[in-house]
Amino acid sequence: QVQLVESGGGLVQTGGSLRLSCAASGRTFSSYAMGWFRQALGKEREFVAAISWNGGHTYYADSVKGRFTISRDNAKNTVYLQMNSLKPEDTADYYCAAGDHPVVSIYEYDYWGQGTQVTVSS
């Protein structure tokens, strides 16, 4: 069992930056791949980024490639999402998730956090 708690969301202007954190409970955090997803109002949840269990492989949605960076610190049971050059279309609730593989599909993740809201003003 893994419990996930996101933090770091907020209101930021276009072009600004935020760093989201996802703290995990449980001793098996380092064995899980981690993903970040987002869901805008009225839209389906979409993949943002994912990272393998040891941080050796990372994957990004085309819409955030070059602007967002996913990383993890297994000693701290935490995964991060550094978001730079934010745009209004990045406005959404952001969720972290844990699963066996760092994939795009939401159905491959077993554990989810409650989400943190990110609002980018124009």
Side-chain angles (χ1 to χ4, degrees):
Q1 188 82 12
V2 177
Q3 293 185 326
L4 305 172
V5 179
E6 302 95 336
S7 62
L11 174 65
V12 64
Q13 291 185 334
T14 296
S17 298
L18 283 174
R19 188 175 83 154
L20 306 184
S21 299
C22 173
S25 66
R27 294 176 294 176
T28 58
F29 171 78
S30 61
S31 67
Y32 286 99
M34 299 297 297
W36 283 99
F37 292 77
R38 67 186 181 186
Q39 188 167 16
L41 191 63
K43 295 187 176 181
E44 294 185 351
R45 194 168 297 189
E46 65 175 7
F47 171 77
V48 175
I51 189 167
S52 59
W53 68 274
N54 64 352
H57 295 88
T58 57
Y59 307 89
Y60 298 93
D62 288 342
S63 58
V64 307
K65 202 171 294 183
R67 300 188 298 122
F68 291 10
T69 302
I70 188 171
S71 62
R72 68 189 296 162
D73 185 340
N74 286 344
K76 295 183 178 180
N77 280 11
T78 302
V79 62
Y80 305 97
L81 185 68
Q82 177 67 44
M83 306 187 295
N84 298 330
S85 303
L86 283 161
K87 306 175 182 181
E89 51 264 44
D90 295 318
T91 295
D93 292 327
Y94 284 71
Y95 300 85
C96 67
D100 290 334
H101 305 288
V103 295
V104 172
S105 173
I106 63 172
Y107 302 107
E108 297 298 319
Y109 290 85
D110 301 313
Y111 304 101
W112 291 83
Q114 293 300 306
T116 185
Q117 188 174 58
V118 171
T119 303
V120 185
S121 64
S122 57

